[in-house]
Every structure is written in structure tokens, then in C-alpha cells.
Amino acid sequence: MVSAENFDQFTAYWKMLQAESEGPLPARSQFDPSQITMLLPYVYLLEHKSPEEMIVRLMGTALDEISGVPVTGLNYFDVCPPEDVSLYMAINERLHALPCASLVVRDITFENGKNYSLSSLGYPMANDEGKLTYSIGLMLPARQFKSDDMNNGGVSHSVLRDLTYIDIGFGVPKHQFEASG
């Protein structure tokens, strides 16, 4: 279930990494999963290889169980609905142009027709050379899942309900999201 407390814990962990980093962004190598064990089932880590390639390096077990389709190691843009690819590429471009965090709320429809609302809080991370290459985030469902809420298949459709950029010391992109419909 989405909890401000969970997002606050995750933010505190990222800020601790930022404070300990040698550069303006924490490095991926600083990430220690044992420091956030209670949140790990809902944590994701993405590696931005190019504008068209964003590799899922870690997808928490609870997130994998929702779909029943493991995505770790895959290009995110190959597993998201084709009509969403350009939107998420544009968001990714903005997040890299001006490093910031983001809070994304999406309604997701899976292959079996079930619908869920998910909120994701993501933060940027650098590689060991200091280049913004990774995003780490916490994705939480709007409600507690039951056993019959698992193994829904891949995402067939999603609707972006809200996108909020969060200043982490560098400002935020000028583009603001406006929900359609």
C-alpha cells in the first residue's frame, strides 16, 4: 500500500547516499540493499544505456509477482506498452537533462484485464565516473495485494495520472505534466 512513510524512508536513504558521495549524485556502487531490506520488494534499479535503451537491473520481488513476468535484464522500452514508449523516453530525457527526482502515478492494466494504480518515486544515481547513468526507485501499489492479484501477465496498457518533478539541488524541468481526459 502506498505510504508516505515508505517514500520518506526511501528518500532518507537516497539523501544519506548523496551526503556520503564524492560527487553531486550518489554512485550506483554506494547502493547497499541491506540498508533498506523492508523496502526491497518494491525497489527498482534502471541503467540508462542510451535514449532508446534503459535496462532493468533490479526489480523487487513484489513487483515481479504482480505481473508474473520477470523483467530484470530487459530493456524497459521493450516491455512497456508500445504507445507509452515515446512518453517515457521524453520523461527520461528531461530527468537526465536536469537531474531531479520524480513521483509518477500510473494506472496499469495487465494482460488479464486487472487494473492497479502504482506510485513510483525515483532518484538519479551516477556511475563510478560521476555520470548520471542510473535511476533507483520505490514503486508502491495504491492498495494491499492479495494472492489472487499476482501473475497478471505483462502490462497491456497504462495511463499516466500524475508526474511531479522534485528538486534535489539542481532545479526541475520546465515541462509540467498535464493529465489528459
Side-chain angles (χ1 to χ4, degrees):
M1 210 153 115
V2 173
S3 164
E5 181 179 315
N6 295 132
F7 283 146
D8 290 346
Q9 292 167 343
F10 189 73
T11 296
Y13 176 67
W14 186 87
K15 286 181 176 182
M16 179 195 75
L17 294 178
Q18 185 182 33
E20 294 174 353
S21 74
E22 294 180 14
L25 294 175
R28 155 61 184 100
S29 58
Q30 290 177 257
F31 175 55
D32 178 2
S34 70
Q35 298 295 308
I36 55 171
T37 55
M38 297 299 290
L39 301 175
L40 267 183
Y42 298 96
V43 171
Y44 62 86
L45 178 68
L46 305 171
E47 181 180 7
H48 307 274
K49 305 282 262 179
S50 74
E52 300 82 25
E53 187 177 21
M54 186 164 58
I55 304 298
V56 179
R57 293 295 175 204
L58 169 71
M59 185 63 65
T61 55
L63 300 173
D64 266 348
E65 288 174 353
I66 294 168
S67 71
V69 179
V71 296
T72 299
L74 301 178
N75 181 356
Y76 174 77
F77 299 123
D78 290 342
V79 296
C80 77
E83 65 271 13
D84 292 348
V85 171
S86 61
L87 171 66
Y88 287 105
M89 282 183 176
I91 291 170
N92 191 41
E93 181 181 333
R94 285 184 206 108
L95 293 172
H96 278 77
L98 190 61
C100 62
S102 63
L103 179 62
V104 176
V105 179
R106 298 182 299 163
D107 291 338
I108 300 210
T109 302
F110 289 95
E111 290 172 347
N112 67 358
K114 288 187 180 179
N115 298 300
Y116 302 99
S117 182
L118 299 171
S119 297
S120 304
L121 177 63
Y123 284 93
M125 295 186 90
N127 61 17
D128 287 335
E129 290 76 41
K131 182 181 177 196
L132 194 166
T133 308
Y134 295 93
S135 296
I136 189 166
L138 184 67
M139 185 183 305
L140 299 172
R143 63 178 176 81
Q144 188 68 37
F145 284 127
K146 300 174 184 147
S147 61
D148 65 344
D149 287 325
M150 305 302 170
N151 298 315
N152 296 299
V155 175
S156 65
H157 181 72
S158 74
V159 176
L160 182 62
R161 293 290 177 205
D162 190 33
L163 167 63
T164 305
Y165 296 114
I166 302 166
D167 191 343
I168 58 169
F170 307 99
V172 294
K174 291 180 182 177
H175 178 273
Q176 295 298 315
F177 170 76
E178 292 182 21
S180 60

